[in-house]
Amino acid sequence: MKPSVLSRSCCRVSLPYPRFHQIHPSAAPPNANFKMGQSMKPSVLSRSCCRVSLPYPRFHQIHPSAAPPNANFKMGRRPLQQLFLLPNNSIRGGPNNYCGSFSTKRLSHFRTIFASSRERDSVIEPPSKALRRILESPGTHQGPACFDAISAKLVEKAGFEYCFTSGFSISAARLGLPDTGLISYGEMVDQGQQITQAVSIPVIGDGDNGYGNAINVKRTVEGFVRAGFAGIIIEDQVSPKACGHTRSRKVVSREEAVMRIKAAVDARKESGSDIVIVARTDSRQAVSLDESLWRSRAFADAGADVLFIDALASKEEMKAFCEISPLVPKMANMLEGGGKTPILNPIELEDLGYKLVVYPLSLIGVSIRAMQDALIAIKGGRIPPPGSMPSFEEIKEILGFNSYYEEEKRYATSTSKLSSQRASSNAYNIQQRTQDDSEQRGRNPQDLAVEVITPEVYDNYGAYGSRDPFSGIWSRTLRIKITGRDGFEKLDVRIPAGFLEGITNIVPALGGVNIKALLDDAAEEAGGKVLLDFNDTMGDRIQVFLE
């Protein structure tokens, strides 16, 4: 490792851990144990330790054998957990082992900043500054693509440090059209503003090819700044552009491609912002690998903050890309489901030299498949199984209903409180009357399953010697079995044969079947009999037996 350079406004602390964690500049400084005026050498970073940045006016290093700075560094105490932005039980150790060990999972080693800006007790920083802080921190950082406000909120809720907008996904979600240059600048900005306003993590926007010449590029950058983006991707494709992993891609000349990046950098300066410029080239597939490497170097010289070659075809090509302009961060695009670039895990990407890795299709892809499965289920007379979707309470929590209700209480007036109490009272009275009426009728719908199996109900329906021609059926049992098209059993239940009205509540696909006629035909037969055996529209096999 090369000695790292740290500004005079920070000190670093070495701790044993496989990766790195960074402390926000608002964290409390250490005490007098960090002595002033000592001559410190730049520390060398190894894979067995991590560094923590703390605000302090000099360069300091703590040796692993040194005593802990102060009582706030004792293990098991909450101040340390707050300092490292970790859960209370995430650090283990004792008084003689102040470095301790982190119990976080191996999977999270490449997430160098755990908490989002909402979780930090500090002034909310501009999105571009938050993104630059991520770029300056060690490790490789993952960013799934979002396409609307709810997908962005889910990315943030999952603990990711940033996300980016995919033109492919937004074109699909907003227009239902392919990513072939059909979506406009105005639509992308409008969708992006909804996304950035929904989350507190930085969002990188897909600026496509800038929607025209260099002047259009400047307007695009300014519009993305106003929309709240932390970064913008500008590419060198011609108009109309296309997805980088599809056919018929073409790029503009070298000179025009470089001028687009220069225009983006100028727009950043003129707008007074610090938006991160991600320079993308599609020349690897349109021309050659050498051409894409040349353009990436030129983009770095023009002032790009991050370099991105789309559709690299091998790990060797990815390594060659990371070796050019080593001081400029690189972005990798892990196109899921069959793109041209090999899918590597974050550790492999970090070893190659990538700083950012994005996943453009995961969320839109699983959303499409989930909706298809749900529609097949509904068309087959069923609703999606509980495990395939969150509960209504979970949906409300994700969307912020509970937070809304809590905040609403802060502004409640005496009138609104009285109305709420009256509504609650009326709801209770209605519920009570409904319950009383149901008890009088003896037909509470929620108690049907209990009614049909009690001796009293058996007697009421003539199960004990009534001359009703249908009475004997109450001594029989219906077995309903559903086997999925994959061969796995989905349902196998037994109910009293007289419980005809409740069958469709279990299997709506039986709603159009005259079960009573089938039971009449089989009433006098002894032993078991198959009443129904068919496949529904979903391909599931539905069988009904009389036992």
Side-chain angles (χ1 to χ4, degrees):
M1 302 292 294
K2 296 181 180 179
S4 58
V5 179
L6 192 65
S7 66
R8 298 177 65 85
S9 62
C10 296
C11 68
R12 278 184 172 170
V13 180
S14 296
L15 297 175
Y17 195 59
R19 284 299 185 269
F20 320 98
H21 291 269
Q22 182 177 4
I23 301 303
H24 193 267
S26 63
N31 68 353
N33 286 328
F34 291 94
K35 295 182 180 180
M36 300 294 298
Q38 292 184 349
S39 176
M40 304 301 298
K41 297 180 180 180
S43 56
V44 179
L45 201 60
S46 69
R47 297 180 79 87
S48 62
C49 69
C50 69
R51 278 185 174 164
V52 176
S53 296
L54 299 174
Y56 214 61
R58 286 294 184 271
F59 218 48
H60 296 279
Q61 182 179 10
I62 298 181
H63 193 273
S65 62
N70 61 14
N72 284 338
F73 280 82
K74 291 181 180 179
M75 305 315 299
R77 303 277 181 93
R78 183 167 179 79
L80 184 59
Q81 276 80 7
Q82 289 179 335
L83 184 63
F84 286 93
L85 303 174
L86 295 173
N88 287 339
N89 298 326
S90 61
I91 303 179
R92 297 191 296 269
N96 298 325
N97 182 21
Y98 73 93
C99 287
S101 63
F102 294 82
S103 62
T104 50
K105 296 182 179 179
R106 178 76 171 88
L107 180 63
S108 64
H109 75 276
F110 41 81
R111 293 226 297 266
T112 61
I113 304 168
F114 182 79
S116 67
S117 58
R118 282 181 178 172
E119 296 171 313
R120 292 191 293 267
D121 297 328
S122 62
V123 177
I124 297 178
E125 58 188 347
S128 58
K129 184 177 180 180
L131 181 57
R132 290 186 182 278
R133 176 171 49 77
I134 293 171
L135 292 172
E136 293 167 0
S137 62
T140 297
H141 307 274
Q142 297 172 288
C146 59
F147 48 88
D148 57 12
I150 183 61
S151 60
K153 288 173 77 74
L154 291 173
V155 171
E156 180 179 32
K157 193 176 182 65
F160 290 94
E161 308 166 68
Y162 74 100
C163 63
F164 86 106
T165 61
S166 161
F168 185 103
S169 299
I170 291 179
S171 181
R174 182 171 177 127
L175 304 181
L177 294 174
D179 182 23
T180 54
L182 296 174
I183 195 164
S184 68
Y185 157 79
E187 290 168 318
M188 289 293 288
V189 169
D190 178 66
Q191 194 82 354
Q193 189 169 22
Q194 296 179 26
I195 290 170
T196 60
Q197 291 178 353
V199 296
S200 61
I201 58 175
V203 182
I204 300 174
D206 187 352
D208 291 328
N209 55 11
Y211 306 98
N213 61 14
I215 307 303
N216 292 100
V217 171
K218 293 182 70 173
R219 179 173 182 262
T220 298
V221 172
E222 293 166 356
F224 275 52
V225 169
R226 289 192 296 270
F229 282 106
I232 181 172
I233 303 173
I234 297 294
E235 63 192 50
D236 59 358
Q237 285 197 52
V238 300
S239 295
K241 61 141 303 185
C243 170
H245 292 252
T246 57
R247 62 185 182 181
S248 303
R249 271 156 304 120
K250 298 178 181 179
V251 294
V252 298
S253 67
R254 287 182 174 183
E255 183 181 12
E256 184 176 351
V258 174
M259 283 301 172
R260 285 181 181 178
I261 303 305
K262 288 184 177 180
V265 173
D266 289 343
R268 176 176 62 194
K269 295 177 182 177
E270 294 168 8
S271 64
S273 73
D274 196 25
I275 190 171
V276 174
I277 307 297
V278 181
R280 163 181 161 174
T281 177
D282 288 76
S283 56
R284 165 60 190 94
Q285 296 296 323
V287 185
S288 67
L289 174 63
D290 290 339
E291 178 67 16
S292 64
L293 295 177
W294 188 96
R295 292 190 180 214
S296 295
R297 292 190 192 96
F299 293 163
D301 295 338
D305 300 299
V306 178
L307 300 178
F308 171 26
I309 299 179
D310 199 19
L312 290 170
S314 68
K315 190 173 181 179
E316 290 71 28
E317 291 187 4
M318 298 169 74
K319 180 177 175 55
F321 169 48
C322 289
E323 289 174 349
I324 67 167
S325 303
L327 298 181
V328 183
K330 311 299 190 301
M331 174 187 283
N333 183 24
M334 297 288 97
L335 186 75
E336 311 89 322
K340 297 183 180 296
T341 304
I343 302 297
L344 304 179
N345 64 50
I347 300 175
E348 293 174 307
L349 291 169
E350 181 181 356
D351 290 339
L352 289 177
Y354 282 99
K355 178 60 63 175
L356 302 178
V357 51
V358 296
Y359 303 85
L361 298 183
S362 291
L363 297 189
I364 189 70
V366 298
S367 298
I368 291 173
R369 177 52 55 86
M371 287 188 284
Q372 287 175 331
D373 290 344
L375 291 170
I376 291 173
I378 294 171
K379 190 174 182 179
R382 301 197 298 273
I383 62 173
S388 68
M389 61 181 291
S391 67
F392 184 51
E393 290 301 321
E394 290 173 324
I395 294 175
K396 291 193 296 182
E397 175 63 29
I398 291 171
L399 296 178
F401 275 86
N402 295 332
S403 299
Y404 174 86
Y405 296 145
E406 288 300 317
E407 186 173 6
E408 188 180 37
K409 294 177 182 178
R410 295 172 51 194
Y411 305 103
T413 63
S414 57
T415 303
S416 63
K417 289 180 179 179
L418 180 60
S419 299
S420 176
Q421 293 173 357
R422 287 177 177 174
S424 176
S425 177
N426 290 339
Y428 173 78
N429 291 336
I430 293 172
Q431 182 180 7
Q432 188 66 34
R433 288 197 302 269
T434 303
Q435 182 177 354
D436 294 341
D437 293 343
S438 298
E439 290 176 353
Q440 292 175 5
R441 293 193 304 267
R443 295 288 294 173
N444 187 349
Q446 296 180 353
D447 296 334
L448 284 174
V450 176
E451 287 184 339
V452 298
I453 63 173
T454 58
E456 290 80 4
V457 175
Y458 274 42
D459 188 50
N460 291 339
Y461 281 88
Y464 301 109
S466 171
R467 295 183 180 180
D468 184 348
F470 193 57
S471 61
I473 217 64
W474 279 95
S475 62
R476 310 287 289 274
T477 301
L478 279 180
R479 179 187 178 189
I480 302 174
K481 183 178 180 181
I482 300 178
T483 305
R485 55 185 175 183
D486 54 4
F488 290 97
E489 185 177 281
K490 292 186 175 181
L491 181 70
D492 192 352
V493 297
R494 289 174 172 83
I495 62 173
F499 183 39
L500 296 182
E501 294 181 358
I503 290 179
T504 54
N505 294 332
I506 300 173
V507 184
L510 297 176
V513 179
N514 190 347
I515 301 290
K516 185 177 184 304
L518 296 174
L519 289 174
D520 288 340
D521 294 339
E524 303 301 327
E525 297 183 18
K529 180 181 180 181
V530 178
L531 299 182
L532 288 172
D533 189 346
F534 67 98
N535 292 337
D536 65 4
T537 56
M538 293 182 61
D540 295 341
R541 183 182 183 185
I542 300 178
Q543 296 172 288
V544 180
F545 305 90
L546 179 63
E547 297 182 341

